[in-house]
Amino acid sequence: MRTYHYFWLLFWAGQPHQSFLTPLPKRTSGFPEKEKVLVLSGNSRRDLHRSKRSWMWNQFFLLEEYTGTDYQYVGKLHSDQDKGDGSLKYILSGDGAGDLFIINENTGDIQATRRLDREEKPVYILRAQAVNRRTGRPVEPESEFIIKIHDINDNEPMFTKDVYNASIPEMSDVGTFVVQVTATDADDPTYGNSAKVVYSILQGQPYFSVESETGIIKTALLNMDRENREQYQVVIQAKDMGGQMGGLSGTTTVNITLTDVNDNPPRFPQSTYQFRAPESMPSDSPIGRIKANDADVDENAEIEYSITEGDGYDMFGIITDKDTQEGIITVKKALDFEKKNLYILKVEATNTHVDPRFLYLGPFKDSATVRIQVEDVDEPPVFSRPAYIMEVKEDVPINSVIGTVTAQDPDAAKNPVKYSVDRHTDMDRVFNINSGNGSIFTSKPLDRETLLWHNITVIAAEINNPKQSSRVPVFIKVLDVNDNAPEFAMFYETFVCENAKAEQLIQTLSAVDKDDSYSGHQFSFSLPPETASSSNFTLQDNRDNTAGIFTRKTRYNRHEMSTYFLPVVISDNDYPIQSSTETVTIRVCACDHRGKMLSCNAEALVHPTGLSTGALIAILLCIIILLVTVVLFAALRRQRKKEPLIISKEDIRDNIVSYNDEGGGEEDTQAFDIGTLRNPEAIDDNKLRRDIVPETLFMPRRTATVRDNADVRDFINQRLKDNDTDPTAPPYDSLATYAYEGNGSVAESLSSLESVTTEGDQDYDYLSDWGPRFKKLADMYGAMDSDRDS
């Protein structure tokens, strides 16, 4: 049977105040129990035994912030199996083992390698075990113990904010809550007074105070006035160790602002204000501004102005400028210097937001007197009416007076006034006005049917000062007279059937009159006396401004008379009576038995099988389509490309390029100037070639002058040399014309293209010597020779 032993955790008192040893938490006395029942377990089936052992320690206490140069000693582990012969080895594991905490494997001494901070980690849990050094087998079960870091006062109190901002209303009572500040201490609150914080005020007395335990700041002075001082800066200190000597401390700043309350009434800086206003000032125009001062701000300084009394109560008004809190005095009615030139008003300024707590300070309003002096100005003439309405008959003669306008100078001088018509309102100059008395008369005939209303503007201006003028509208209505005869309401063209019966209605007539009738128009219809008895038709007046045309006989023949023109006399019943003669066109037409018109042309009976209108339109469309087709066909044939002469791709003539610049001999004067050959001295060096358009213009090359008796051959050779070396010459082959080449010349054409020699007489081997530009041509003609030889 195997017995298990346990560690004795020994405390070495040789180094005081560095580490402490405490018993197990359940023990209440400083002495261990005599016996303890342990439940042992192992790998083999063995009975449980009670073992008797000594007092076991499982906690170490270690001071933080150790400042010594050596390792800090923690404690010692010891096993009953340790005989001191070095056969056992102590092993440490757990939090910080091997790094922060090391153990002497021979003696069991535990040491801390660096300074510890309780605020970083207050407790370390480690495990210790003793093993046989030779076999490596444990001789004791693994035991767990705790190292607690003992706190010292190494942290000062820290406020949650560096700067606090708070505000309270001004005039607050003593003890009014302002703000609460909070400071925390990182030290252990369960050990001593290291974390016990008390508050005190360093700056801000006697205005404020702070509660030492809670950090609540309160007012300490009565009736603090914002208008005297608005900002306060308070410094609060938090100190640990309960505020005792040697404690650590921290501070914070509290910015306290007094907010405004309405504790100041408005006050006018002066009791009387004086303003001047010209009598010509229009309504709602501002005269001046007044302002009552209020020491408060924002809504507590808002003021409402009003006129409470005075002789100008109804002549003037006052409004409040919300931005500047000023009272703006305005004109409500037109001023007249001649009637009244001085007004006295009483203006009152009142706070709109009154705080009842401060009513004891007095009424929150003030009043002032405002004197307004009206100034005389040179005013324009004033018409007796704002507008004039006149009536005139349209048949009045020219220069007839239709009405009068009147205007006077309102000033005391009573300057004379002259009148005129604004021609922009009377472009046709239908009316005119007497400049002296303002009477309006006609200058042209009037016509109500053309224009019923004339709207003109009359200008009245002072004679001494024409700039002083005023205008008035004049509305002239033209009254109607019966000057227009009635006429048909429309153009009447009707028909009568050949088989018509007598007394048959064929058309109903109506009439209109441009004139205006107050009792309504009444028209009468009749036939002229000279045609009434001989007419083939009769007219019946219906007495309702209409009339009917009836047939007089039984049958009509359109071959004898195809059209009848029936005159009709229309009269009105106004004074003077107006009448007119209108004509009704009546055609004689063929009709069926129901009276439906078939045809009104006399030729229709001769050719009864004639084509209808639809058939004629169809034939006309066919003719137009045929003509368009012929024109398009002719245009396409004209634009059709000619068939190329060379069809086969093997034909060598497919590679011949024609430049169309061969000359025409003496008859051709377009490609060159024949006079140049005859007179070399007359050469214009600046003249460009006319057969090509050079892409780049170069300076003309100066050539050597040919002698007077130079042969034409020498001249041509010189020009040929110049042409070959000319940079403006085209980089392609072209036919150049010299002397008399071309049609009509003795030499005829010098072009090899028109040579009389046959292809069999030609040797094209020389083409290979002309360079790469002629290689394609040499290959073509060389291949032809090979084919011919084969």
Short mmCIF file of all heavy atoms in Angstrom, two decimals, residues 11-21 61-63 66 70-75 109-112:
data_model
loop_
_atom_site.label_atom_id
_atom_site.label_comp_id
_atom_site.label_asym_id
_atom_site.label_seq_id
_atom_site.Cartn_x
_atom_site.Cartn_y
_atom_site.Cartn_z
N PHE A 11 6.83 29.51 5.11
CA PHE A 11 7.03 30.95 5.03
C PHE A 11 8.33 31.32 5.73
O PHE A 11 8.52 30.95 6.89
CB PHE A 11 5.84 31.69 5.69
CG PHE A 11 6.09 33.15 5.87
CD1 PHE A 11 6.15 33.98 4.77
CD2 PHE A 11 6.27 33.68 7.13
CE1 PHE A 11 6.36 35.32 4.96
CE2 PHE A 11 6.50 35.01 7.30
CZ PHE A 11 6.54 35.84 6.22
N TRP A 12 9.18 31.97 5.05
CA TRP A 12 10.47 32.38 5.59
C TRP A 12 10.39 33.84 5.99
O TRP A 12 10.17 34.70 5.17
CB TRP A 12 11.57 32.20 4.57
CG TRP A 12 11.74 30.74 4.17
CD1 TRP A 12 11.05 30.07 3.25
CD2 TRP A 12 12.63 29.82 4.76
NE1 TRP A 12 11.44 28.76 3.18
CE2 TRP A 12 12.44 28.58 4.12
CE3 TRP A 12 13.61 29.89 5.80
CZ2 TRP A 12 13.17 27.45 4.43
CZ3 TRP A 12 14.32 28.75 6.09
CH2 TRP A 12 14.09 27.53 5.41
N ALA A 13 10.56 34.07 7.22
CA ALA A 13 10.39 35.43 7.77
C ALA A 13 11.65 36.26 7.66
O ALA A 13 11.75 37.31 8.27
CB ALA A 13 9.94 35.35 9.24
N GLY A 14 12.59 35.79 6.94
CA GLY A 14 13.84 36.55 6.85
C GLY A 14 13.71 37.84 6.07
O GLY A 14 14.56 38.70 6.16
N GLN A 15 12.64 37.96 5.19
CA GLN A 15 12.46 39.18 4.38
C GLN A 15 11.07 39.73 4.68
O GLN A 15 10.11 39.42 4.00
CB GLN A 15 12.59 38.86 2.89
CG GLN A 15 13.98 38.34 2.53
CD GLN A 15 14.12 38.09 1.05
OE1 GLN A 15 13.23 38.44 0.31
NE2 GLN A 15 15.23 37.49 0.66
N PRO A 16 10.95 40.59 5.69
CA PRO A 16 9.62 41.10 6.08
C PRO A 16 9.09 42.09 5.03
O PRO A 16 9.84 42.70 4.30
CB PRO A 16 9.89 41.78 7.41
CG PRO A 16 11.33 42.14 7.36
CD PRO A 16 12.02 41.09 6.56
N HIS A 17 7.70 42.27 5.03
CA HIS A 17 6.98 43.24 4.21
C HIS A 17 7.09 42.96 2.72
O HIS A 17 6.81 43.81 1.91
CB HIS A 17 7.43 44.68 4.50
CG HIS A 17 7.37 45.05 5.94
ND1 HIS A 17 6.18 45.11 6.64
CD2 HIS A 17 8.36 45.32 6.83
CE1 HIS A 17 6.44 45.44 7.90
NE2 HIS A 17 7.78 45.57 8.04
N GLN A 18 7.54 41.77 2.37
CA GLN A 18 7.58 41.46 0.94
C GLN A 18 6.60 40.37 0.59
O GLN A 18 6.02 40.37 -0.46
CB GLN A 18 8.99 41.05 0.53
CG GLN A 18 9.99 42.20 0.64
CD GLN A 18 11.35 41.81 0.12
OE1 GLN A 18 11.50 40.71 -0.37
NE2 GLN A 18 12.32 42.69 0.27
N SER A 19 6.44 39.39 1.41
CA SER A 19 5.47 38.33 1.13
C SER A 19 4.81 37.93 2.42
O SER A 19 5.41 38.01 3.49
CB SER A 19 6.17 37.12 0.48
OG SER A 19 7.13 36.56 1.36
N PHE A 20 3.58 37.48 2.33
CA PHE A 20 2.79 37.11 3.49
C PHE A 20 2.14 35.78 3.22
O PHE A 20 1.79 35.44 2.09
CB PHE A 20 1.71 38.17 3.78
CG PHE A 20 2.30 39.54 4.03
CD1 PHE A 20 2.51 40.42 2.97
CD2 PHE A 20 2.66 39.93 5.31
CE1 PHE A 20 3.05 41.67 3.20
CE2 PHE A 20 3.19 41.18 5.53
CZ PHE A 20 3.39 42.05 4.49
N LEU A 21 1.95 35.04 4.30
CA LEU A 21 1.36 33.71 4.23
C LEU A 21 0.10 33.70 5.06
O LEU A 21 0.10 34.19 6.17
CB LEU A 21 2.36 32.67 4.79
CG LEU A 21 2.50 31.35 4.03
CD1 LEU A 21 2.79 31.62 2.57
CD2 LEU A 21 3.63 30.54 4.66
N PHE A 61 1.30 36.33 -0.23
CA PHE A 61 1.02 37.75 -0.48
C PHE A 61 2.34 38.42 -0.86
O PHE A 61 3.33 38.27 -0.15
CB PHE A 61 0.41 38.43 0.76
CG PHE A 61 -1.02 38.06 0.96
CD1 PHE A 61 -1.36 36.95 1.72
CD2 PHE A 61 -2.03 38.80 0.41
CE1 PHE A 61 -2.67 36.61 1.91
CE2 PHE A 61 -3.34 38.47 0.60
CZ PHE A 61 -3.67 37.37 1.36
N LEU A 62 2.24 39.21 -1.95
CA LEU A 62 3.45 39.85 -2.47
C LEU A 62 3.15 41.31 -2.76
O LEU A 62 2.13 41.63 -3.40
CB LEU A 62 3.90 39.14 -3.76
CG LEU A 62 5.26 39.53 -4.32
CD1 LEU A 62 6.36 39.12 -3.34
CD2 LEU A 62 5.49 38.85 -5.67
N LEU A 63 4.00 42.20 -2.25
CA LEU A 63 3.79 43.64 -2.48
C LEU A 63 4.05 44.00 -3.94
O LEU A 63 5.01 43.52 -4.55
CB LEU A 63 4.71 44.46 -1.57
CG LEU A 63 4.35 44.50 -0.09
CD1 LEU A 63 5.41 45.27 0.70
CD2 LEU A 63 3.00 45.14 0.11
N TYR A 66 7.64 46.51 -6.50
CA TYR A 66 8.92 46.26 -5.84
C TYR A 66 10.00 47.02 -6.58
O TYR A 66 10.11 46.95 -7.80
CB TYR A 66 9.20 44.77 -5.84
CG TYR A 66 10.57 44.40 -5.31
CD1 TYR A 66 10.89 44.58 -3.95
CD2 TYR A 66 11.54 43.89 -6.16
CE1 TYR A 66 12.15 44.24 -3.48
CE2 TYR A 66 12.80 43.55 -5.68
CZ TYR A 66 13.11 43.73 -4.34
OH TYR A 66 14.35 43.40 -3.87
N ASP A 70 17.45 43.07 -6.73
CA ASP A 70 17.43 41.62 -6.81
C ASP A 70 16.02 41.13 -7.07
O ASP A 70 15.04 41.88 -6.99
CB ASP A 70 17.96 41.01 -5.51
CG ASP A 70 19.41 41.42 -5.24
OD1 ASP A 70 20.12 41.68 -6.23
OD2 ASP A 70 19.78 41.51 -4.05
N TYR A 71 15.94 39.81 -7.37
CA TYR A 71 14.63 39.20 -7.52
C TYR A 71 13.89 39.26 -6.19
O TYR A 71 14.48 39.13 -5.12
CB TYR A 71 14.76 37.75 -7.96
CG TYR A 71 15.23 37.59 -9.40
CD1 TYR A 71 15.69 36.37 -9.88
CD2 TYR A 71 15.19 38.68 -10.28
CE1 TYR A 71 16.12 36.23 -11.20
CE2 TYR A 71 15.60 38.55 -11.58
CZ TYR A 71 16.07 37.34 -12.04
OH TYR A 71 16.47 37.21 -13.33
N GLN A 72 12.61 39.44 -6.27
CA GLN A 72 11.78 39.54 -5.07
C GLN A 72 11.42 38.13 -4.58
O GLN A 72 10.91 37.30 -5.34
CB GLN A 72 10.50 40.34 -5.37
CG GLN A 72 9.66 40.64 -4.15
CD GLN A 72 8.47 41.53 -4.50
OE1 GLN A 72 8.24 41.80 -5.66
NE2 GLN A 72 7.75 41.95 -3.49
N TYR A 73 11.73 37.87 -3.30
CA TYR A 73 11.49 36.55 -2.74
C TYR A 73 10.02 36.37 -2.41
O TYR A 73 9.40 37.23 -1.79
CB TYR A 73 12.34 36.34 -1.48
CG TYR A 73 12.24 34.94 -0.91
CD1 TYR A 73 12.93 33.89 -1.52
CD2 TYR A 73 11.46 34.69 0.22
CE1 TYR A 73 12.84 32.61 -1.00
CE2 TYR A 73 11.37 33.41 0.73
CZ TYR A 73 12.05 32.38 0.11
OH TYR A 73 11.97 31.10 0.62
N VAL A 74 9.48 35.19 -2.85
CA VAL A 74 8.06 34.93 -2.64
C VAL A 74 7.85 33.95 -1.47
O VAL A 74 7.10 34.22 -0.54
CB VAL A 74 7.43 34.38 -3.93
CG1 VAL A 74 5.96 34.06 -3.71
CG2 VAL A 74 7.58 35.39 -5.07
N GLY A 75 8.49 32.78 -1.52
CA GLY A 75 8.31 31.75 -0.48
C GLY A 75 9.08 30.50 -0.84
O GLY A 75 9.87 30.47 -1.79
N ASP A 109 12.83 27.29 -3.43
CA ASP A 109 12.62 28.74 -3.24
C ASP A 109 11.97 29.35 -4.48
O ASP A 109 12.42 29.12 -5.62
CB ASP A 109 13.95 29.42 -2.95
CG ASP A 109 14.54 28.98 -1.61
OD1 ASP A 109 13.73 28.68 -0.71
OD2 ASP A 109 15.78 28.96 -1.48
N ILE A 110 10.94 30.17 -4.26
CA ILE A 110 10.20 30.84 -5.35
C ILE A 110 10.54 32.33 -5.32
O ILE A 110 10.50 32.96 -4.25
CB ILE A 110 8.69 30.65 -5.22
CG1 ILE A 110 8.35 29.16 -5.20
CG2 ILE A 110 7.95 31.35 -6.35
CD1 ILE A 110 6.88 28.89 -4.93
N GLN A 111 10.81 32.91 -6.50
CA GLN A 111 11.16 34.33 -6.62
C GLN A 111 10.41 34.94 -7.82
O GLN A 111 10.09 34.25 -8.80
CB GLN A 111 12.67 34.49 -6.82
CG GLN A 111 13.50 34.11 -5.60
CD GLN A 111 14.99 34.25 -5.87
OE1 GLN A 111 15.47 33.80 -6.89
NE2 GLN A 111 15.70 34.88 -4.94
N ALA A 112 10.15 36.27 -7.69
CA ALA A 112 9.54 37.04 -8.79
C ALA A 112 10.64 37.77 -9.54
O ALA A 112 11.48 38.43 -8.92
CB ALA A 112 8.53 38.04 -8.26
#
